């Protein structure tokens, strides 16, 4: 193994959603602020500002509970379209320094700046420059960690948040790690932490002091992994364009929905939204998975694959509808669609003799040749329609059956952009 | 029951029956072969309830004591195969079946013959008579195109149609389609009123028992079932339910572009170029210019290859891409020295004429944007 060098950056925006809202409405300054769903609608907090965090409010907490902790809490509905736009700008800044950018979410990414030194200076200088550039261009504050591996870089960015800038040099890595609780290790959750505690291990230093074989015996492959990390060993590389395996969209309803017609309309909405996102990323999908949660929280999934990959919403919808038929007729608390079996639109595609799958469908259900041609036309004009949607908003062109309907709002207040 | 039988004849009969008999089944009785000895013949019956065979041996046997026995089919076949002597003696004593040959013998457990499913007898009434070779060659020209992957039930077989003095077979997996027909003597009768889709497995067994191309065989369609009778065997296959796709609609009547190429050379060049194409979505591009065909293939992980050959082509340059395996499958069966390829656009079906009354349609591979 080559000697570790300081080339990995982890950049994490501070209270991203809340900070954007704060930036856009200065009257909110100094007030406890969160973004999320309304408490009346089983809402949950999706992000809390620092002021609100002082009261113990954190993400994934039911809004009602957050309100109890902090009665004066201001809960704003999330504006994902706005956050996405800011995120794009930030990612653009990253990519102006290095092509090796691995986004983890809208507001967080790993960067590998090896080989960029001649252009922009060393990793520490680049980290400072990025932090400054983000502030200058977006008015937002980021925390930056610089280290020799992903694990240490992420640890570093977290160490003096907010507005942090922390460098962990290879030679100081073990000293930094030693006193930290084991839960700081990526992969050590509550359960593993408890099991480690039973072994008398609370800190990373104590874990590192254990024999590797002992840890492996107790925890299997995870054991090898956490033992390596405890020694600051992490060979994961920064991989730009993380391969996405599926696209999904699910919503917990503010009130359980029993009407099949209503559920079908939601499905159409989800499928259209997912299809747009697929096209936006230059992908197609083949497999449709429907997720349904009943009032008693029992959750089931149903899956079916198309004979080909596509990114036309109604094709997914026709499968999703079929899958909904296989879900018992009870009120649903949550409905979701996930698309997998992704391929690039540039992948060559085998043509089919009979359009859709005549073998799998009963004759009366098979789309007529006219329907097939209509779908093929839709596939071709989508490029133009998407252009309109991006320019004038997603709602510029929508299926007629969704006209005049408000988009389904998620529990955390998110909704499909319109 | 007590029978003497030439070992080789018995082995062949067991081999045929074992084509159908499952090695494992939720109904264990089906893993057995039913042996029936009558005064003049020995009959072996096997079934998986979808395909059934009744194979008789009427030469090289001597029935001493007629009777019926049901024994494990695989074990019996393997034991008989590995014997060295000329003649095998089968004798049932109580609940065991003894197999003796020279100095070697075994006792097999038997199953209750009453439990063995009833396999129908061939009904010659209303059957068509044809030459075995006609039948097997039509199967060979089409069955390879039938679907193999799950979920396309009606395509897991060969569509058999009889009419206008022709026997026609069609098979498709939705991406390519093979269609062939041959004249038979229908005596002005038409075939089954419903389209009959014979499962691929049944077709294979039909061909297996038609060892002599010049033999005359009988073909009979009944409700939900098709049967054939050869000199030694009767085979029945349950027809596949479901609707076979409307195949005639996808066969292009007229094509704008057509070329003729030497089939053997084309097959070789396609294989050559296919070597560099990837594992998934394999494609070889056919680019035509007057008198020339260029074949190109590439994949991100392997590289690119080109091959050229002279062809008979006039007209504006055009191109189309196919899965090389599909094209090669058809060319292997090409019956004339030259193959003719016709197509309209690079997104519309390619039509290969592989011989007289033999058409092979392959959908192209297209790249968006």
């Amino acid at each position: 193994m080559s000697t570790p060098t300081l080339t990995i950056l982890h950049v994490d925006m501070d209270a991203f959603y809340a900070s954007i809202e704060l930036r856009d409405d200065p009257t909110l300054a100094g007030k406890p602020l969160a973004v999320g769903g309304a408490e009346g609608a089983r809402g949950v907090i999706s992000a809390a500002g620092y002021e609100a965090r002082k009261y113990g409010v954190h993400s994934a907490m039911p809004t009602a509970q957050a309100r109890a902790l902090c009665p004066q809490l201001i809960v704003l509905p999330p504006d994902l379209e706005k956050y996405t736009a800011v995120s794009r700008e930030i990612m653009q800044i990253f990519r102006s320094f290095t092509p090796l950018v691995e986004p983890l979410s809208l507001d967080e990414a790993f960067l590998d700046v090896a080989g960029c030194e001649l252009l922009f200076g060393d990793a520490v200088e680049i980290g400072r420059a990025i932090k400054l550039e983000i502030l200058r261009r977006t008015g937002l504050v980021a925390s930056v960690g610089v280290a020799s591996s992903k694990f240490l870089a992420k640890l570093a960015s977290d160490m003096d948040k907010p507005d942090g800038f922390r460098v962990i040099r290879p030679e100081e890595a073990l000293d930094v790690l030693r006193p930290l609780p084991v839960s700081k290790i990526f992969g050590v959750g509550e359960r593993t932490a408890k099991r480690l505690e039973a072994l008398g291990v609370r800190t990373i230093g104590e874990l590192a002091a254990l024999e590797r074989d002992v840890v492996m015996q107790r925890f299997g492959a995870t054991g090898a992994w956490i033992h390596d990390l405890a020694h600051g060993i992490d060979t994961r590389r920064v991989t730009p364009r993380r391969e996405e395996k599926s696209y999904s969209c699910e919503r917990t309803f503010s009130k359980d929905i029993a009407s099949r017609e209503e559920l079908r309309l939601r499905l159409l909405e989800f499928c259209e939204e997912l299809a747009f996102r697929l096209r936006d990323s230059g992908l197609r999908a083949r497999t449709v998975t429907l997720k349904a949660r009943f009032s008693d929280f029992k959750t089931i999934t149903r899956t079916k694959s198309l004979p080909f990959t596509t990114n036309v919403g109604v094709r997914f919808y026709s499968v999703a509808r079929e899958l909904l038929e296989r879900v018992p007729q009870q009120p649903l608390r949550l409905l979701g669609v996930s698309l997998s079996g992704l391929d690039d639109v540039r992948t060559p595609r085998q043509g089919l003799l009979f359009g859709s799958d005549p073998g799998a469908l009963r004759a009366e259900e098979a789309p007529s040749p006219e329907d097939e041609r209509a779908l093929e036309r839709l596939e071709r004009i989508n490029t133009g329609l998407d252009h309109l949607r991006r320019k004038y908003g997603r709602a510029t062109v929508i299926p007629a059956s969704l006209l005049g309907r408000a988009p389904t709002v998620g529990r955390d207040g998110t909704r499909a952009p319109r | 029951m007590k029978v003497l039988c030439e070992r080789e004849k018995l082995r062949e009969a067991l081999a045929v029956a074992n084509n159908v008999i499952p090695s494992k089944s939720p109904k264990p009785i089906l893993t057995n072969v039913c042996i029936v000895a009558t005064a003049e013949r020995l009959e072996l019956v096997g079934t998986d309830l979808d395909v059934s065979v009744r194979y008789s041996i009427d030469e090289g046997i001597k029935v001493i004591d007629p009777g019926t026995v049901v024994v494990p089919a695989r074990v019996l076949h393997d034991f008989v195969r590995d014997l060295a002597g000329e003649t095998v003696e089968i004798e049932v004593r109580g609940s065991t079946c003894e197999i003796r040959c020279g100095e070697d013998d075994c006792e097999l457990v038997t199953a209750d013959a009453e439990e063995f499913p009833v396999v129908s007898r061939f009904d010659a009434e209303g059957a068509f008579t044809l030459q075995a070779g006609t039948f097997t060659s039509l199967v060979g020209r089409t069955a390879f195109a039938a679907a193999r992957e799950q979920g396309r039930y009606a395509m897991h077989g060969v569509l058999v149609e009889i009419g206008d003095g022709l026997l026609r077979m069609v098979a498709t997996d939705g991406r390519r389609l093979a269609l062939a027909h041959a004249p038979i003597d229908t005596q002005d009768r038409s075939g089954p009123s419903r389209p009959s889709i014979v499962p691929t497995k049944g077709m294979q067994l039909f061909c297996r028992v038609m060892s002599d191309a010049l033999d005359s065989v009988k073909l009979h369609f009944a409700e939900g079932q098709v049967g054939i009778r050869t000199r030694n065997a009767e085979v029945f296959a349950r027809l596949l339910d479901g609707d076979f796709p409307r195949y005639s609609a996808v066969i292009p009547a007229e094509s704008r572009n057509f070329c003729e190429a030497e089939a053997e050379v084309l097959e070789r060049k396609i294989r050559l170029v296919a070597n560099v194409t990837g594992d998934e979505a394999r494609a070889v591009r056919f680019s035509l210019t007057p008198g020339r065909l260029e074949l190109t293939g590439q994949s991100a992980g392997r590289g690119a290859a080109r091959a050229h050959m002279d062809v008979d082509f006039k007209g504006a340059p055009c191109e189309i891409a196919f899965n090389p395996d599909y094209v090669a499958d058809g060319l292997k069966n090409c019956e004339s020295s030259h193959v003719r390829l016709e197509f309209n656009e690079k997104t519309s079906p390619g039509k290969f004429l592989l011989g007289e009354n033999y058409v092979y349609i392959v959908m192209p591979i297209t790249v968006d944007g």
Side-chain angles (χ1 to χ4, degrees):
Chain A
M1 212 166 67
S2 56
T3 47
T5 47
L6 213 56
T7 61
I8 312 290
L9 269 64
H10 179 254
V11 185
D12 192 6
M13 301 301 295
D14 298 332
F16 188 53
Y17 295 0
S19 302
I20 293 175
E21 298 299 347
L22 205 60
R23 173 194 76 176
D24 295 351
D25 183 359
T27 63
L28 297 169
K31 295 177 183 158
L33 177 68
V35 171
E39 56 255 62
R42 298 170 175 166
V44 293
I45 301 295
S46 68
Y50 284 98
E51 207 55 46
R53 290 187 196 186
K54 287 179 190 162
Y55 294 87
V57 175
H58 58 78
S59 55
M61 173 183 277
T63 305
Q65 191 187 338
R67 181 79 70 200
L69 288 170
C70 174
Q72 68 275 35
L73 183 70
I74 299 167
V75 180
L76 296 172
D79 183 349
L80 273 187
E81 207 158 5
K82 184 159 78 177
Y83 309 151
T84 309
V86 179
S87 172
R88 285 220 175 103
E89 207 171 341
I90 292 165
M91 297 297 164
Q92 226 168 43
I93 295 172
F94 298 159
R95 291 194 182 99
S96 69
F97 285 91
T98 171
L100 293 180
V101 176
E102 179 180 330
L104 298 174
S105 63
L106 282 182
D107 66 331
E108 194 185 345
F110 282 120
L111 285 67
D112 187 339
V113 297
C116 306
E117 298 86 349
L118 284 177
L119 283 169
F120 304 111
D122 67 17
V124 178
E125 287 170 280
I126 292 175
R128 294 238 179 252
I130 285 175
K131 198 167 145 72
L132 205 66
E133 188 66 9
I134 291 174
L135 183 64
R136 201 178 62 77
R137 293 219 341 227
T138 68
L140 298 170
V141 177
S143 286
V144 177
V146 186
S148 56
S149 69
K150 281 182 166 181
F151 168 54
L152 292 172
K154 191 166 163 88
L155 206 62
S157 73
D158 194 41
M159 282 181 86
D160 48 8
K161 232 177 180 339
D163 199 12
F165 190 91
R166 180 75 158 85
V167 181
I168 300 179
R169 299 191 180 276
E171 57 273 18
E172 57 174 334
L174 291 180
D175 293 330
V176 173
L177 288 172
R178 196 169 297 126
L180 296 174
V182 284
S183 58
K184 287 280 179 190
I185 293 179
F186 182 77
V188 175
E190 225 173 292
R191 268 183 49 137
T192 313
K194 273 221 179 91
R195 286 172 63 194
L196 282 168
E197 202 179 323
L199 292 174
V201 173
R202 283 195 183 76
T203 66
I204 295 181
E206 286 162 355
L207 174 60
L210 287 182
E211 284 295 324
R212 189 182 162 83
D213 287 351
V214 173
V215 187
M216 275 181 71
Q217 227 167 42
R218 301 252 173 181
F219 300 94
T222 319
W225 162 246
I226 61 175
H227 194 256
D228 278 352
L229 290 184
H231 283 94
I233 300 168
D234 174 14
T235 54
R236 289 173 303 161
R237 305 215 316 215
V238 174
T239 44
R241 201 196 158 113
R242 212 157 32 113
E243 286 284 306
E244 277 171 287
K245 296 217 165 58
S246 69
Y247 277 58
S248 58
C249 178
E250 60 175 58
R251 295 279 182 266
T252 298
F253 306 126
S254 49
K255 264 195 198 145
D256 295 355
I257 298 178
S259 154
R260 286 285 153 147
E261 186 50 34
E262 183 60 32
L263 290 169
R264 279 196 288 273
L265 286 170
R266 307 284 170 136
L267 281 184
L268 177 58
E269 182 193 332
F270 297 168
C271 289
E272 286 289 332
E273 166 63 17
L274 290 173
F276 176 84
R277 276 160 55 189
L278 280 176
R279 293 193 297 270
D280 208 34
S281 319
L283 295 170
R284 294 183 299 234
R286 180 190 174 95
T287 304
V288 182
T289 302
L290 183 89
K291 177 174 172 185
R293 179 169 296 154
F294 303 104
S295 309
D296 60 1
F297 282 87
K298 192 178 162 251
T299 308
I300 61 170
T301 59
R302 294 287 178 267
T303 296
K304 188 180 170 177
S305 292
L306 286 156
F308 44 78
T309 61
T310 180
N311 51 28
V312 175
V314 287
R315 291 226 194 240
F316 297 128
Y317 173 60
S318 70
V319 177
R321 243 184 98 135
E322 209 185 307
L323 293 173
L324 183 64
E325 293 304 310
R326 288 162 48 193
V327 172
Q329 298 258 5
Q330 291 165 24
L332 295 185
R333 178 184 168 86
L334 171 150
L335 185 66
V337 175
S338 139
L339 304 176
S340 54
L342 306 182
D343 77 357
D344 195 296
V345 290
R346 289 165 301 182
T347 321
R349 190 147 52 144
Q350 171 66 54
L352 296 173
L353 278 165
F354 310 103
S356 277
D357 192 2
L361 295 166
R362 286 196 294 279
E364 65 269 23
E365 286 174 354
S368 67
E370 295 77 49
D371 289 348
E372 275 302 324
R373 275 195 289 280
L375 283 169
E376 278 162 25
R377 274 201 302 277
L378 190 58
E379 207 155 333
R380 282 199 291 273
I381 61 168
N382 256 334
T383 321
L385 296 183
D386 286 349
H387 197 66
L388 292 173
R389 291 185 179 113
R390 271 189 284 267
K391 194 162 178 188
Y392 301 108
R394 222 62 84 70
T396 312
V397 191
I398 58 169
S401 45
L402 294 181
L403 271 177
R405 289 172 52 88
T408 308
V409 179
R411 238 180 130 201
D412 61 359
T414 51
R415 66 184 71 205
R418 282 283 170 90
Chain B
M1 181 179 117
K2 188 172 179 181
V3 187
L4 296 174
C5 184
E6 257 178 50
R7 189 184 65 88
E8 182 47 33
K9 287 215 157 61
L10 182 61
R11 190 207 53 78
E12 167 65 8
L14 286 164
V16 170
N18 269 312
N19 273 307
V20 183
I21 298 171
S23 54
K24 270 191 199 127
S25 170
K27 292 184 176 157
I29 189 75
L30 298 181
T31 62
N32 293 285
V33 59
C34 177
I35 303 174
V36 183
T38 54
E40 62 276 8
R41 71 168 66 88
L42 190 63
E43 211 171 56
L44 282 75
V45 185
T47 180
D48 66 357
L49 300 183
D50 284 327
V51 182
S52 309
V53 61
R54 184 189 288 286
Y55 194 94
S56 57
I57 309 171
D58 50 12
E59 284 171 359
I61 57 150
K62 187 174 169 196
V63 178
I64 296 158
D65 190 6
T68 301
V69 69
V70 175
V71 287
R74 268 309 114 188
V75 181
L76 179 58
H77 168 265
D78 293 352
F79 189 77
V80 170
R81 179 196 60 201
D82 294 341
L83 286 169
E86 294 269 305
T87 308
V88 179
E89 187 183 337
I90 306 171
E91 185 174 8
V92 180
R93 280 190 196 178
S95 64
T96 60
C97 176
E98 291 183 21
I99 313 292
R100 283 185 292 270
C101 181
E103 302 175 296
D104 312 315
D105 67 86
C106 75
E107 285 117 44
L108 297 176
V109 291
T110 61
D112 183 1
E114 294 293 311
E115 265 185 61
F116 199 83
V118 176
V119 171
S120 50
R121 296 224 160 252
F122 190 82
D123 181 6
E125 183 76 24
F128 296 95
T129 306
L130 64 153
Q131 231 173 33
T134 306
F135 190 91
T136 53
S137 99
L138 286 178
V139 175
R141 290 156 108 189
T142 53
F144 70 90
R148 273 179 280 268
E149 65 274 78
Q150 299 218 316
R152 300 165 162 237
Y153 192 61
M155 292 194 228
H156 280 241
V158 179
L159 178 73
V160 180
E161 293 177 331
I162 295 176
D164 303 326
L166 296 174
L167 172 62
R168 181 183 295 111
M169 293 193 192
V170 192
T172 180
D173 62 4
R175 298 179 290 266
R176 34 71 178 272
L177 177 145
L179 166 72
H181 65 80
I184 60 163
D185 180 11
T186 58
Q187 295 166 339
D188 296 326
R189 285 184 295 116
S190 61
S193 51
R194 284 174 44 79
S196 303
I197 311 165
V198 183
T200 311
K201 188 178 171 192
M203 277 302 194
Q204 281 163 355
L205 192 64
F206 285 175
C207 294
R208 174 76 165 82
V209 297
M210 293 183 195
S211 41
D212 189 342
L214 297 176
D215 262 357
S216 148
V217 298
K218 285 195 183 296
L219 181 65
H220 183 263
F221 290 91
E223 190 59 36
Q225 176 175 291
V226 60
I228 59 118
R229 186 166 81 191
T230 68
R231 215 182 72 73
N232 288 105
E234 291 176 6
V235 181
F236 306 93
R238 191 205 292 237
L239 297 175
L240 295 181
D241 276 334
D243 297 306
F244 199 81
R246 280 165 292 180
Y247 66 89
S248 51
V250 300
I251 298 168
E254 261 176 51
S255 296
R256 201 179 318 132
N257 306 305
F258 45 87
C259 80
E260 257 179 47
E262 216 176 308
E264 242 183 72
V265 181
L266 181 59
E267 193 195 342
R268 191 164 51 78
K269 302 247 171 185
I270 286 175
R271 291 241 168 262
L272 185 70
V273 171
N275 286 321
V276 299
T277 58
D279 292 329
E280 71 290 330
R282 284 153 67 78
V284 167
R285 191 160 62 228
F286 290 51
S287 308
L288 283 160
T289 50
R292 288 290 274 178
L293 169 64
E294 183 189 51
L295 297 166
T296 50
Q298 59 180 31
S299 76
R302 298 184 185 186
R306 286 154 303 279
H308 300 87
M309 65 184 286
D310 289 335
V311 292
D312 186 1
F313 173 75
K314 300 175 192 73
C318 54
E319 60 175 47
I320 189 164
F322 296 109
N323 179 325
D325 299 333
Y326 292 170
V327 179
D329 280 350
L331 291 174
K332 259 185 281 183
N333 284 322
C334 189
E335 288 155 1
S336 45
S337 62
H338 283 69
V339 60
R340 185 181 163 95
L341 165 62
E342 304 181 0
F343 65 97
N344 275 316
E345 298 163 60
K346 61 180 176 186
T347 53
S348 56
K351 180 178 178 182
F352 293 83
L353 301 174
L354 300 176
E356 209 178 328
N357 308 324
Y358 185 15
V359 177
Y360 182 48
I361 309 287
V362 182
M363 277 307 278
I365 285 178
T366 51
V367 181
D368 293 357

